[in-house]
Amino acid sequence: RMDNKLKFDFRDLAKFITKIENDRLGAEDILKDIYKENSETVVIGITGPPGAGKSSLTDRMIKEYRELGKTVGIVAVDPSSPFTGGAILGDRIRMGDHATDPGVFIRSMGSRGSLGGLAPATIDVINLMKSAGFDVLIVETVGVGQSEIDVMSIADTVLLVLVPGMGDDVQALKAGIMEIADIFVINKADKDGVERLVAEINMIINLNRHRLEWEPPVVKTIATENSGTKELMKKIS
């Protein structure tokens, strides 16, 4: 059963993605055949260090979008998992509520499959899912390497999820990823150190203010308790 707006069913979509991951050259032919320019799909990137609670946050956002009747595709990129070929277990368990929802498609991608590097394969998969006609695409990556920044460059809105108590990690993060963050999300905002983290982020925003077309808001959330989600959705829209 499918939402009528989507162009092909999830089983076909999964097969196409596997093809893209495993056969970079052959993938171009698939994409040529079915690629359809689609500016309707909203692409949201979610990045940040491991343990920041990105999957729990994604889970809340899926629920919000589904309540609005929107179809959602999720690409969870996990370059750190050579054995399973992706973050299948973690993400699937955390987002398990959506497994039987005909309007939600979740795919984990590991760098194992994509011979041409993770970023190009992910970008192809995002283009494929845009062609399929999802209303919203959420791309979740771990870490702050160049390939994540490449992937995030095609998102309309990038959320950088941080948690209090990371010490000097914010300073270390600020180089590349701070530049592409449209919204700073401080998750687990009930932990100690939240005000210090807000102050650090605001300092970085102030230092870069002269170069910013958009001043990133800072939103506090506790994803596990669904606190701050509505505010975050407002900022995204």
Side-chain angles (χ1 to χ4, degrees):
R1 198 163 69 80
M2 279 297 300
D3 283 66
N4 297 333
K5 289 185 295 186
L6 291 168
K7 303 287 177 294
F8 29 77
D9 74 21
F10 287 174
R11 190 168 293 171
D12 289 341
L13 187 54
K15 281 180 188 160
F16 289 146
I17 292 174
T18 301
K19 179 89 170 150
I20 288 171
E21 282 190 302
N22 293 322
D23 176 12
R24 301 287 304 124
L25 295 171
E28 284 181 13
D29 296 336
I30 293 178
L31 284 168
K32 269 203 291 257
D33 287 344
I34 56 183
Y35 183 70
K36 181 171 160 294
E37 191 54 49
N38 170 13
S39 56
E40 301 294 300
T41 302
V42 176
V43 182
I44 299 167
I46 301 184
T47 192
K54 295 184 294 294
S55 291
S56 303
L57 199 64
T58 303
D59 185 56
R60 295 294 179 187
M61 288 167 60
I62 296 168
K63 288 190 173 81
E64 295 284 333
Y65 282 122
R66 290 302 287 147
E67 278 173 22
L68 296 169
K70 294 184 183 298
T71 53
V72 187
I74 298 95
V75 183
V77 183
D78 175 28
S80 65
S81 177
F83 300 113
T84 58
I88 291 166
L89 284 175
D91 288 325
R92 291 290 162 86
I93 289 165
R94 277 191 291 270
M95 300 180 203
D97 295 356
H98 310 290
T100 56
D101 184 335
V104 178
F105 177 85
I106 301 174
R107 177 67 180 229
S108 304
M109 289 187 65
S111 48
R112 168 199 61 85
S114 51
L115 302 174
L118 195 57
T122 307
I123 289 165
D124 283 348
V125 168
I126 292 166
N127 283 328
L128 172 67
M129 289 170 77
K130 280 173 91 168
S131 302
F134 287 96
D135 295 316
V136 181
L137 273 185
I138 299 175
V139 184
E140 188 192 306
T141 71
V142 176
V144 290
Q146 185 56 49
S147 69
E148 284 82 9
I149 290 171
D150 291 346
V151 167
M152 287 301 160
S153 67
I154 63 166
D156 301 306
T157 300
V158 177
L159 316 186
L160 174 56
V161 185
L162 300 168
V163 282
M166 287 176 59
D168 298 324
D169 289 5
V170 172
Q171 299 306 321
L173 278 172
K174 74 180 169 200
I177 209 84
M178 288 291 184
E179 309 268 316
I180 61 165
D182 297 307
I183 300 173
F184 290 98
V185 182
I186 299 181
N187 193 30
K188 305 185 184 179
D190 47 348
K191 286 176 68 170
D192 285 348
V194 67
E195 293 315 323
R196 187 184 145 205
L197 183 54
V198 171
E200 281 185 15
I201 292 170
N202 283 327
M203 191 174 73
I204 290 164
I205 292 170
N206 282 329
L207 287 173
N208 293 296
R209 183 165 273 138
H210 60 290
R211 294 189 292 124
L212 298 173
E213 289 170 44
W214 157 266
E215 191 169 311
V218 180
V219 182
K220 295 182 212 169
T221 59
I222 308 167
T224 50
E225 294 172 17
N226 207 20
S227 166
T229 319
K230 292 269 192 276
E231 176 65 16
L232 176 58
M233 299 298 281
K234 253 188 245 159
K235 296 294 186 203
I236 292 170
S237 68

